[in-house]
Amino acid sequence: FKLGRDTTVFTTTRILVIDVHGMSGKRVEHRSLPYGAILTFAAETAGGKLDNDAELVIWSRCPWLNPLKIDFAKKEVDIYAVQVFLASKVLDPRAPAPVPQPGQGGAGDTSNLLNWLGNDAVQVDPGSVERNLRTIAPVLLPDEHVEMAFQLGRDIFTLTTKRLLDVNVKGMSGKRVEFTTIPYTSIGAFAVQSAGGRFDRDAELLVWNKVPVQQHPLQLDLRKGRADLFAIQSCLAAKV
């Protein structure tokens, strides 16, 4: 993928960033990030008419290395396909990874995605969520299945057979959607807390990952009586 003078290459074993420095462009940095060093990543669709770029952010095991951020032209690159390719490399390195094709934009129109995420519920049918994550927002691997799913407003939080997948709708228009992947091997700790008394309606799930620079846990509030906390605890305990 080429952006200006810089190039990002996804090889069979690593991400290679070719970064051109200076006015003359004679100083060139070749930075390698092995897929095995990736702890978590987030793919974000482009927003409205004035937002032409989708984005990929990658966090690695190296505490001294800033997150790698890659912008993609939304009409030229299928961000869903890029997400699936990277997920395959990180979650199942032995499986063949589907290669995104150049000139095939994706996720330009997120209206169907927003219609799906518009309903207000808590714990939802994993089969229905899986179908939508294969058709409306195709981000799942071929052999990946949704085991548990939770919906809060416009956002979806899922536990699949391979990862924790958080779908976060951003902005007033909701056209910018972020898909964050946390492999179970990247989870350092988690906590499940039941709801309190009459005025405390929400239970809570907290997940801490192993990324050194991320101090705040991923937090999910669950409506009391509408999510099986013991099932969530058991599912995560078995994976982690």
Side-chain angles (χ1 to χ4, degrees):
F1 302 95
K2 190 170 181 62
L3 183 64
R5 299 187 302 174
D6 301 334
T7 303
T8 303
V9 181
F10 291 77
T11 77
T12 53
T13 59
R14 59 177 168 160
I15 299 175
L16 176 62
V17 179
I18 305 173
D19 190 3
V20 180
H21 295 277
M23 295 292 293
S24 67
K26 293 182 178 180
R27 189 175 181 86
V28 182
E29 177 187 28
H30 295 76
R31 186 190 313 163
S32 291
L33 179 61
Y35 295 121
I38 295 175
L39 285 178
T40 183
F41 63 91
E44 189 170 306
T45 63
K49 293 182 180 180
L50 301 179
D51 186 3
N52 293 319
D53 292 337
E55 187 178 68
L56 180 67
V57 183
I58 301 170
W59 291 266
S60 73
R61 301 179 187 275
C62 306
W64 57 87
L65 190 64
N66 291 329
L68 175 61
K69 296 183 179 181
I70 308 169
D71 291 327
F72 301 100
K74 67 179 179 181
K75 293 183 179 180
E76 299 295 328
V77 178
D78 186 344
I79 189 64
Y80 292 145
V82 173
Q83 191 280 156
V84 170
F85 175 87
L86 188 56
S88 178
K89 291 295 185 182
V90 174
L91 301 174
D92 194 0
R94 295 169 296 181
V99 180
Q101 298 301 312
Q104 294 184 1
D109 181 7
T110 57
S111 56
N112 289 334
L113 179 61
L114 294 176
N115 289 336
W116 165 41
L117 297 176
N119 296 324
D120 187 14
V122 183
Q123 188 164 352
V124 292
D125 175 40
S128 174
V129 172
E130 180 171 331
R131 286 191 295 273
N132 288 324
L133 290 177
R134 293 197 186 280
T135 55
I136 298 176
V139 297
L140 295 180
L141 298 177
D143 60 342
E144 182 179 15
H145 301 286
V146 176
E147 295 188 340
M148 301 189 76
F150 308 89
Q151 187 166 351
L152 183 61
R154 300 185 301 177
D155 301 335
I156 284 281
F157 176 90
T158 70
L159 300 175
T160 80
T161 50
K162 294 181 178 291
R163 57 178 155 169
L164 184 157
L165 178 62
D166 185 38
V167 183
N168 182 20
V169 180
K170 296 184 174 183
M172 294 294 291
S173 67
K175 292 185 177 181
R176 196 165 183 89
V177 184
E178 180 183 58
F179 299 84
T180 300
T181 290
I182 303 178
Y184 293 119
T185 54
S186 296
I187 295 177
F190 65 90
V192 176
Q193 181 174 301
S194 60
R198 180 181 301 176
F199 299 105
D200 184 6
R201 300 197 307 168
D202 292 336
E204 192 173 64
L205 171 65
L206 300 172
V207 178
W208 290 266
N209 65 39
K210 297 178 182 177
V211 177
V213 296
Q214 290 186 342
Q215 301 298 325
H216 299 290
L218 175 66
Q219 180 175 331
L220 178 67
D221 292 326
L222 302 167
R223 186 65 56 84
K224 181 169 61 175
R226 299 182 66 183
D228 189 338
L229 294 181
F230 293 108
I232 298 170
Q233 146 74 28
S234 297
C235 183
L236 272 176
K239 303 293 186 185
V240 177

PDB file of all heavy atoms in Angstrom, residues 124-156:
ATOM      1  N   VAL A 124     -27.045 -10.760  23.242  1.00  0.00           N
ATOM      2  CA  VAL A 124     -27.802 -11.028  22.028  1.00  0.00           C
ATOM      3  C   VAL A 124     -27.395 -12.380  21.451  1.00  0.00           C
ATOM      4  O   VAL A 124     -26.402 -12.975  21.851  1.00  0.00           O
ATOM      5  CB  VAL A 124     -27.587  -9.909  20.983  1.00  0.00           C
ATOM      6  CG1 VAL A 124     -28.225  -8.618  21.457  1.00  0.00           C
ATOM      7  CG2 VAL A 124     -26.107  -9.699  20.704  1.00  0.00           C
ATOM      8  N   ASP A 125     -28.186 -12.836  20.494  1.00  0.00           N
ATOM      9  CA  ASP A 125     -27.973 -14.135  19.883  1.00  0.00           C
ATOM     10  C   ASP A 125     -26.656 -14.154  19.116  1.00  0.00           C
ATOM     11  O   ASP A 125     -26.478 -13.379  18.167  1.00  0.00           O
ATOM     12  CB  ASP A 125     -29.126 -14.441  18.934  1.00  0.00           C
ATOM     13  CG  ASP A 125     -28.911 -15.737  18.163  1.00  0.00           C
ATOM     14  OD1 ASP A 125     -28.418 -16.705  18.768  1.00  0.00           O
ATOM     15  OD2 ASP A 125     -29.228 -15.757  16.960  1.00  0.00           O
ATOM     16  N   PRO A 126     -25.704 -15.015  19.482  1.00  0.00           N
ATOM     17  CA  PRO A 126     -24.412 -15.039  18.793  1.00  0.00           C
ATOM     18  C   PRO A 126     -24.530 -15.451  17.330  1.00  0.00           C
ATOM     19  O   PRO A 126     -23.743 -15.005  16.490  1.00  0.00           O
ATOM     20  CB  PRO A 126     -23.592 -16.054  19.599  1.00  0.00           C
ATOM     21  CG  PRO A 126     -24.587 -16.874  20.346  1.00  0.00           C
ATOM     22  CD  PRO A 126     -25.753 -15.973  20.608  1.00  0.00           C
ATOM     23  N   GLY A 127     -25.502 -16.313  17.004  1.00  0.00           N
ATOM     24  CA  GLY A 127     -25.683 -16.725  15.622  1.00  0.00           C
ATOM     25  C   GLY A 127     -26.047 -15.562  14.729  1.00  0.00           C
ATOM     26  O   GLY A 127     -25.544 -15.434  13.598  1.00  0.00           O
ATOM     27  N   SER A 128     -26.933 -14.680  15.206  1.00  0.00           N
ATOM     28  CA  SER A 128     -27.332 -13.512  14.430  1.00  0.00           C
ATOM     29  C   SER A 128     -26.162 -12.554  14.244  1.00  0.00           C
ATOM     30  O   SER A 128     -25.947 -12.014  13.152  1.00  0.00           O
ATOM     31  CB  SER A 128     -28.489 -12.798  15.138  1.00  0.00           C
ATOM     32  OG  SER A 128     -28.807 -11.585  14.493  1.00  0.00           O
ATOM     33  N   VAL A 129     -25.396 -12.349  15.306  1.00  0.00           N
ATOM     34  CA  VAL A 129     -24.230 -11.464  15.226  1.00  0.00           C
ATOM     35  C   VAL A 129     -23.207 -12.035  14.250  1.00  0.00           C
ATOM     36  O   VAL A 129     -22.617 -11.311  13.437  1.00  0.00           O
ATOM     37  CB  VAL A 129     -23.604 -11.266  16.617  1.00  0.00           C
ATOM     38  CG1 VAL A 129     -22.283 -10.511  16.520  1.00  0.00           C
ATOM     39  CG2 VAL A 129     -24.567 -10.515  17.525  1.00  0.00           C
ATOM     40  N   GLU A 130     -22.981 -13.341  14.302  1.00  0.00           N
ATOM     41  CA  GLU A 130     -22.022 -13.969  13.387  1.00  0.00           C
ATOM     42  C   GLU A 130     -22.438 -13.784  11.932  1.00  0.00           C
ATOM     43  O   GLU A 130     -21.604 -13.489  11.066  1.00  0.00           O
ATOM     44  CB  GLU A 130     -21.869 -15.449  13.711  1.00  0.00           C
ATOM     45  CG  GLU A 130     -20.875 -16.156  12.799  1.00  0.00           C
ATOM     46  CD  GLU A 130     -20.566 -17.570  13.244  1.00  0.00           C
ATOM     47  OE1 GLU A 130     -20.635 -17.859  14.457  1.00  0.00           O
ATOM     48  OE2 GLU A 130     -20.243 -18.388  12.366  1.00  0.00           O
ATOM     49  N   ARG A 131     -23.725 -13.948  11.643  1.00  0.00           N
ATOM     50  CA  ARG A 131     -24.194 -13.743  10.264  1.00  0.00           C
ATOM     51  C   ARG A 131     -23.903 -12.320   9.789  1.00  0.00           C
ATOM     52  O   ARG A 131     -23.476 -12.102   8.651  1.00  0.00           O
ATOM     53  CB  ARG A 131     -25.689 -14.057  10.164  1.00  0.00           C
ATOM     54  CG  ARG A 131     -26.027 -15.541  10.205  1.00  0.00           C
ATOM     55  CD  ARG A 131     -27.478 -15.794   9.836  1.00  0.00           C
ATOM     56  NE  ARG A 131     -28.399 -15.216  10.805  1.00  0.00           N
ATOM     57  CZ  ARG A 131     -28.804 -15.831  11.911  1.00  0.00           C
ATOM     58  NH1 ARG A 131     -28.348 -17.046  12.195  1.00  0.00           N
ATOM     59  NH2 ARG A 131     -29.642 -15.238  12.732  1.00  0.00           N
ATOM     60  N   ASN A 132     -24.136 -11.348  10.661  1.00  0.00           N
ATOM     61  CA  ASN A 132     -23.897  -9.957  10.284  1.00  0.00           C
ATOM     62  C   ASN A 132     -22.408  -9.656  10.130  1.00  0.00           C
ATOM     63  O   ASN A 132     -22.022  -8.825   9.306  1.00  0.00           O
ATOM     64  CB  ASN A 132     -24.517  -9.019  11.326  1.00  0.00           C
ATOM     65  CG  ASN A 132     -26.028  -8.999  11.245  1.00  0.00           C
ATOM     66  OD1 ASN A 132     -26.596  -9.086  10.175  1.00  0.00           O
ATOM     67  ND2 ASN A 132     -26.688  -8.904  12.393  1.00  0.00           N
ATOM     68  N   LEU A 133     -21.567 -10.333  10.924  1.00  0.00           N
ATOM     69  CA  LEU A 133     -20.124 -10.127  10.825  1.00  0.00           C
ATOM     70  C   LEU A 133     -19.510 -10.897   9.662  1.00  0.00           C
ATOM     71  O   LEU A 133     -18.303 -10.827   9.421  1.00  0.00           O
ATOM     72  CB  LEU A 133     -19.440 -10.530  12.141  1.00  0.00           C
ATOM     73  CG  LEU A 133     -19.709  -9.600  13.329  1.00  0.00           C
ATOM     74  CD1 LEU A 133     -19.045 -10.135  14.594  1.00  0.00           C
ATOM     75  CD2 LEU A 133     -19.218  -8.179  13.040  1.00  0.00           C
ATOM     76  N   ARG A 134     -20.338 -11.632   8.931  1.00  0.00           N
ATOM     77  CA  ARG A 134     -19.884 -12.286   7.700  1.00  0.00           C
ATOM     78  C   ARG A 134     -20.450 -11.614   6.451  1.00  0.00           C
ATOM     79  O   ARG A 134     -19.894 -11.761   5.364  1.00  0.00           O
ATOM     80  CB  ARG A 134     -20.293 -13.763   7.702  1.00  0.00           C
ATOM     81  CG  ARG A 134     -19.588 -14.594   8.745  1.00  0.00           C
ATOM     82  CD  ARG A 134     -19.686 -16.083   8.453  1.00  0.00           C
ATOM     83  NE  ARG A 134     -19.126 -16.867   9.536  1.00  0.00           N
ATOM     84  CZ  ARG A 134     -17.814 -17.080   9.713  1.00  0.00           C
ATOM     85  NH1 ARG A 134     -16.955 -16.566   8.866  1.00  0.00           N
ATOM     86  NH2 ARG A 134     -17.384 -17.800  10.723  1.00  0.00           N
ATOM     87  N   THR A 135     -21.537 -10.872   6.612  1.00  0.00           N
ATOM     88  CA  THR A 135     -22.196 -10.274   5.454  1.00  0.00           C
ATOM     89  C   THR A 135     -22.126  -8.748   5.476  1.00  0.00           C
ATOM     90  O   THR A 135     -21.501  -8.135   4.610  1.00  0.00           O
ATOM     91  CB  THR A 135     -23.665 -10.728   5.389  1.00  0.00           C
ATOM     92  OG1 THR A 135     -24.316 -10.410   6.642  1.00  0.00           O
ATOM     93  CG2 THR A 135     -23.764 -12.217   5.142  1.00  0.00           C
ATOM     94  N   ILE A 136     -22.724  -8.126   6.481  1.00  0.00           N
ATOM     95  CA  ILE A 136     -22.754  -6.659   6.543  1.00  0.00           C
ATOM     96  C   ILE A 136     -21.363  -6.089   6.809  1.00  0.00           C
ATOM     97  O   ILE A 136     -20.933  -5.132   6.166  1.00  0.00           O
ATOM     98  CB  ILE A 136     -23.739  -6.197   7.641  1.00  0.00           C
ATOM     99  CG1 ILE A 136     -25.152  -6.662   7.290  1.00  0.00           C
ATOM    100  CG2 ILE A 136     -23.705  -4.678   7.780  1.00  0.00           C
ATOM    101  CD1 ILE A 136     -26.169  -6.352   8.355  1.00  0.00           C
ATOM    102  N   ALA A 137     -20.660  -6.669   7.753  1.00  0.00           N
ATOM    103  CA  ALA A 137     -19.289  -6.259   8.082  1.00  0.00           C
ATOM    104  C   ALA A 137     -18.419  -7.506   8.108  1.00  0.00           C
ATOM    105  O   ALA A 137     -18.203  -8.098   9.164  1.00  0.00           O
ATOM    106  CB  ALA A 137     -19.259  -5.549   9.439  1.00  0.00           C
ATOM    107  N   PRO A 138     -17.915  -7.954   6.960  1.00  0.00           N
ATOM    108  CA  PRO A 138     -17.221  -9.238   6.872  1.00  0.00           C
ATOM    109  C   PRO A 138     -15.822  -9.201   7.467  1.00  0.00           C
ATOM    110  O   PRO A 138     -14.826  -9.033   6.762  1.00  0.00           O
ATOM    111  CB  PRO A 138     -17.184  -9.500   5.364  1.00  0.00           C
ATOM    112  CG  PRO A 138     -17.211  -8.146   4.741  1.00  0.00           C
ATOM    113  CD  PRO A 138     -18.040  -7.285   5.646  1.00  0.00           C
ATOM    114  N   VAL A 139     -15.711  -9.403   8.768  1.00  0.00           N
ATOM    115  CA  VAL A 139     -14.424  -9.320   9.464  1.00  0.00           C
ATOM    116  C   VAL A 139     -13.998 -10.647  10.087  1.00  0.00           C
ATOM    117  O   VAL A 139     -12.874 -10.759  10.581  1.00  0.00           O
ATOM    118  CB  VAL A 139     -14.453  -8.226  10.555  1.00  0.00           C
ATOM    119  CG1 VAL A 139     -14.680  -6.853   9.941  1.00  0.00           C
ATOM    120  CG2 VAL A 139     -15.516  -8.518  11.612  1.00  0.00           C
ATOM    121  N   LEU A 140     -14.874 -11.660  10.084  1.00  0.00           N
ATOM    122  CA  LEU A 140     -14.539 -12.939  10.704  1.00  0.00           C
ATOM    123  C   LEU A 140     -13.712 -13.804   9.766  1.00  0.00           C
ATOM    124  O   LEU A 140     -13.849 -13.741   8.543  1.00  0.00           O
ATOM    125  CB  LEU A 140     -15.806 -13.691  11.105  1.00  0.00           C
ATOM    126  CG  LEU A 140     -16.678 -13.064  12.191  1.00  0.00           C
ATOM    127  CD1 LEU A 140     -17.895 -13.957  12.449  1.00  0.00           C
ATOM    128  CD2 LEU A 140     -15.893 -12.838  13.482  1.00  0.00           C
ATOM    129  N   LEU A 141     -12.855 -14.653  10.352  1.00  0.00           N
ATOM    130  CA  LEU A 141     -12.133 -15.647   9.576  1.00  0.00           C
ATOM    131  C   LEU A 141     -13.085 -16.777   9.195  1.00  0.00           C
ATOM    132  O   LEU A 141     -14.108 -16.988   9.856  1.00  0.00           O
ATOM    133  CB  LEU A 141     -10.961 -16.189  10.384  1.00  0.00           C
ATOM    134  CG  LEU A 141      -9.889 -15.168  10.778  1.00  0.00           C
ATOM    135  CD1 LEU A 141      -8.827 -15.821  11.647  1.00  0.00           C
ATOM    136  CD2 LEU A 141      -9.268 -14.536   9.552  1.00  0.00           C
ATOM    137  N   PRO A 142     -12.774 -17.543   8.142  1.00  0.00           N
ATOM    138  CA  PRO A 142     -13.688 -18.601   7.693  1.00  0.00           C
ATOM    139  C   PRO A 142     -14.021 -19.619   8.777  1.00  0.00           C
ATOM    140  O   PRO A 142     -15.163 -20.100   8.855  1.00  0.00           O
ATOM    141  CB  PRO A 142     -12.916 -19.252   6.539  1.00  0.00           C
ATOM    142  CG  PRO A 142     -12.043 -18.164   6.018  1.00  0.00           C
ATOM    143  CD  PRO A 142     -11.636 -17.357   7.217  1.00  0.00           C
ATOM    144  N   ASP A 143     -13.049 -19.976   9.629  1.00  0.00           N
ATOM    145  CA  ASP A 143     -13.287 -20.992  10.659  1.00  0.00           C
ATOM    146  C   ASP A 143     -13.515 -20.384  12.038  1.00  0.00           C
ATOM    147  O   ASP A 143     -13.415 -21.067  13.051  1.00  0.00           O
ATOM    148  CB  ASP A 143     -12.110 -21.969  10.719  1.00  0.00           C
ATOM    149  CG  ASP A 143     -10.795 -21.279  11.062  1.00  0.00           C
ATOM    150  OD1 ASP A 143     -10.718 -20.041  10.921  1.00  0.00           O
ATOM    151  OD2 ASP A 143      -9.845 -21.980  11.474  1.00  0.00           O
ATOM    152  N   GLU A 144     -13.838 -19.089  12.076  1.00  0.00           N
ATOM    153  CA  GLU A 144     -14.066 -18.383  13.349  1.00  0.00           C
ATOM    154  C   GLU A 144     -15.566 -18.275  13.617  1.00  0.00           C
ATOM    155  O   GLU A 144     -16.347 -18.002  12.716  1.00  0.00           O
ATOM    156  CB  GLU A 144     -13.447 -16.987  13.277  1.00  0.00           C
ATOM    157  CG  GLU A 144     -13.575 -16.167  14.547  1.00  0.00           C
ATOM    158  CD  GLU A 144     -12.918 -14.807  14.423  1.00  0.00           C
ATOM    159  OE1 GLU A 144     -12.612 -14.390  13.276  1.00  0.00           O
ATOM    160  OE2 GLU A 144     -12.716 -14.150  15.457  1.00  0.00           O
ATOM    161  N   HIS A 145     -15.967 -18.480  14.872  1.00  0.00           N
ATOM    162  CA  HIS A 145     -17.381 -18.432  15.237  1.00  0.00           C
ATOM    163  C   HIS A 145     -17.587 -17.575  16.479  1.00  0.00           C
ATOM    164  O   HIS A 145     -16.725 -17.530  17.366  1.00  0.00           O
ATOM    165  CB  HIS A 145     -17.916 -19.842  15.473  1.00  0.00           C
ATOM    166  CG  HIS A 145     -17.779 -20.744  14.281  1.00  0.00           C
ATOM    167  ND1 HIS A 145     -18.587 -20.627  13.169  1.00  0.00           N
ATOM    168  CD2 HIS A 145     -16.898 -21.749  14.024  1.00  0.00           C
ATOM    169  CE1 HIS A 145     -18.234 -21.527  12.276  1.00  0.00           C
ATOM    170  NE2 HIS A 145     -17.209 -22.225  12.756  1.00  0.00           N
ATOM    171  N   VAL A 146     -18.715 -16.891  16.537  1.00  0.00           N
ATOM    172  CA  VAL A 146     -19.070 -16.060  17.688  1.00  0.00           C
ATOM    173  C   VAL A 146     -19.692 -16.950  18.759  1.00  0.00           C
ATOM    174  O   VAL A 146     -20.669 -17.650  18.506  1.00  0.00           O
ATOM    175  CB  VAL A 146     -20.056 -14.949  17.283  1.00  0.00           C
ATOM    176  CG1 VAL A 146     -20.500 -14.153  18.519  1.00  0.00           C
ATOM    177  CG2 VAL A 146     -19.410 -14.026  16.249  1.00  0.00           C
ATOM    178  N   GLU A 147     -19.141 -16.928  19.964  1.00  0.00           N
ATOM    179  CA  GLU A 147     -19.651 -17.735  21.066  1.00  0.00           C
ATOM    180  C   GLU A 147     -20.567 -16.938  21.987  1.00  0.00           C
ATOM    181  O   GLU A 147     -21.567 -17.454  22.466  1.00  0.00           O
ATOM    182  CB  GLU A 147     -18.480 -18.324  21.863  1.00  0.00           C
ATOM    183  CG  GLU A 147     -17.650 -19.318  21.058  1.00  0.00           C
ATOM    184  CD  GLU A 147     -16.620 -20.021  21.902  1.00  0.00           C
ATOM    185  OE1 GLU A 147     -16.271 -19.510  22.988  1.00  0.00           O
ATOM    186  OE2 GLU A 147     -16.155 -21.095  21.486  1.00  0.00           O
ATOM    187  N   MET A 148     -20.219 -15.676  22.246  1.00  0.00           N
ATOM    188  CA  MET A 148     -21.059 -14.800  23.061  1.00  0.00           C
ATOM    189  C   MET A 148     -21.021 -13.409  22.446  1.00  0.00           C
ATOM    190  O   MET A 148     -19.999 -12.998  21.891  1.00  0.00           O
ATOM    191  CB  MET A 148     -20.572 -14.747  24.519  1.00  0.00           C
ATOM    192  CG  MET A 148     -20.542 -16.077  25.236  1.00  0.00           C
ATOM    193  SD  MET A 148     -20.221 -15.900  27.019  1.00  0.00           S
ATOM    194  CE  MET A 148     -21.830 -15.314  27.585  1.00  0.00           C
ATOM    195  N   ALA A 149     -22.143 -12.681  22.553  1.00  0.00           N
ATOM    196  CA  ALA A 149     -22.209 -11.335  21.990  1.00  0.00           C
ATOM    197  C   ALA A 149     -23.072 -10.440  22.869  1.00  0.00           C
ATOM    198  O   ALA A 149     -24.070 -10.883  23.448  1.00  0.00           O
ATOM    199  CB  ALA A 149     -22.775 -11.380  20.570  1.00  0.00           C
ATOM    200  N   PHE A 150     -22.668  -9.177  22.955  1.00  0.00           N
ATOM    201  CA  PHE A 150     -23.368  -8.207  23.795  1.00  0.00           C
ATOM    202  C   PHE A 150     -23.482  -6.909  23.021  1.00  0.00           C
ATOM    203  O   PHE A 150     -22.550  -6.484  22.354  1.00  0.00           O
ATOM    204  CB  PHE A 150     -22.596  -7.974  25.099  1.00  0.00           C
ATOM    205  CG  PHE A 150     -22.265  -9.237  25.826  1.00  0.00           C
ATOM    206  CD1 PHE A 150     -21.081  -9.913  25.552  1.00  0.00           C
ATOM    207  CD2 PHE A 150     -23.141  -9.775  26.748  1.00  0.00           C
ATOM    208  CE1 PHE A 150     -20.766 -11.087  26.201  1.00  0.00           C
ATOM    209  CE2 PHE A 150     -22.837 -10.957  27.397  1.00  0.00           C
ATOM    210  CZ  PHE A 150     -21.653 -11.621  27.126  1.00  0.00           C
ATOM    211  N   GLN A 151     -24.657  -6.279  23.104  1.00  0.00           N
ATOM    212  CA  GLN A 151     -24.898  -5.033  22.401  1.00  0.00           C
ATOM    213  C   GLN A 151     -25.309  -3.968  23.397  1.00  0.00           C
ATOM    214  O   GLN A 151     -26.158  -4.184  24.255  1.00  0.00           O
ATOM    215  CB  GLN A 151     -25.986  -5.216  21.344  1.00  0.00           C
ATOM    216  CG  GLN A 151     -26.168  -3.995  20.466  1.00  0.00           C
ATOM    217  CD  GLN A 151     -26.991  -4.286  19.229  1.00  0.00           C
ATOM    218  OE1 GLN A 151     -27.295  -5.433  18.939  1.00  0.00           O
ATOM    219  NE2 GLN A 151     -27.362  -3.250  18.508  1.00  0.00           N
ATOM    220  N   LEU A 152     -24.647  -2.807  23.278  1.00  0.00           N
ATOM    221  CA  LEU A 152     -24.967  -1.677  24.140  1.00  0.00           C
ATOM    222  C   LEU A 152     -25.096  -0.444  23.255  1.00  0.00           C
ATOM    223  O   LEU A 152     -24.096   0.083  22.779  1.00  0.00           O
ATOM    224  CB  LEU A 152     -23.872  -1.468  25.195  1.00  0.00           C
ATOM    225  CG  LEU A 152     -24.124  -0.347  26.203  1.00  0.00           C
ATOM    226  CD1 LEU A 152     -25.394  -0.624  27.003  1.00  0.00           C
ATOM    227  CD2 LEU A 152     -22.940  -0.175  27.140  1.00  0.00           C
ATOM    228  N   GLY A 153     -26.332  -0.020  23.003  1.00  0.00           N
ATOM    229  CA  GLY A 153     -26.550   1.089  22.090  1.00  0.00           C
ATOM    230  C   GLY A 153     -26.122   0.694  20.693  1.00  0.00           C
ATOM    231  O   GLY A 153     -26.582  -0.287  20.133  1.00  0.00           O
ATOM    232  N   ARG A 154     -25.148   1.441  20.130  1.00  0.00           N
ATOM    233  CA  ARG A 154     -24.688   1.173  18.771  1.00  0.00           C
ATOM    234  C   ARG A 154     -23.485   0.235  18.728  1.00  0.00           C
ATOM    235  O   ARG A 154     -23.027  -0.129  17.650  1.00  0.00           O
ATOM    236  CB  ARG A 154     -24.309   2.495  18.084  1.00  0.00           C
ATOM    237  CG  ARG A 154     -25.449   3.484  17.982  1.00  0.00           C
ATOM    238  CD  ARG A 154     -25.035   4.720  17.187  1.00  0.00           C
ATOM    239  NE  ARG A 154     -23.893   5.405  17.778  1.00  0.00           N
ATOM    240  CZ  ARG A 154     -23.308   6.478  17.231  1.00  0.00           C
ATOM    241  NH1 ARG A 154     -23.761   6.964  16.100  1.00  0.00           N
ATOM    242  NH2 ARG A 154     -22.275   7.051  17.818  1.00  0.00           N
ATOM    243  N   ASP A 155     -22.954  -0.143  19.882  1.00  0.00           N
ATOM    244  CA  ASP A 155     -21.710  -0.910  19.937  1.00  0.00           C
ATOM    245  C   ASP A 155     -21.971  -2.396  20.173  1.00  0.00           C
ATOM    246  O   ASP A 155     -22.969  -2.775  20.807  1.00  0.00           O
ATOM    247  CB  ASP A 155     -20.793  -0.368  21.035  1.00  0.00           C
ATOM    248  CG  ASP A 155     -20.443   1.099  20.813  1.00  0.00           C
ATOM    249  OD1 ASP A 155     -20.490   1.544  19.650  1.00  0.00           O
ATOM    250  OD2 ASP A 155     -20.138   1.788  21.800  1.00  0.00           O
ATOM    251  N   ILE A 156     -21.068  -3.218  19.670  1.00  0.00           N
ATOM    252  CA  ILE A 156     -21.148  -4.667  19.828  1.00  0.00           C
ATOM    253  C   ILE A 156     -19.833  -5.179  20.408  1.00  0.00           C
ATOM    254  O   ILE A 156     -18.749  -4.753  20.010  1.00  0.00           O
ATOM    255  CB  ILE A 156     -21.402  -5.361  18.466  1.00  0.00           C
ATOM    256  CG1 ILE A 156     -22.851  -5.185  18.040  1.00  0.00           C
ATOM    257  CG2 ILE A 156     -21.072  -6.839  18.523  1.00  0.00           C
ATOM    258  CD1 ILE A 156     -23.815  -6.124  18.743  1.00  0.00           C
TER     259      ILE A 156
END
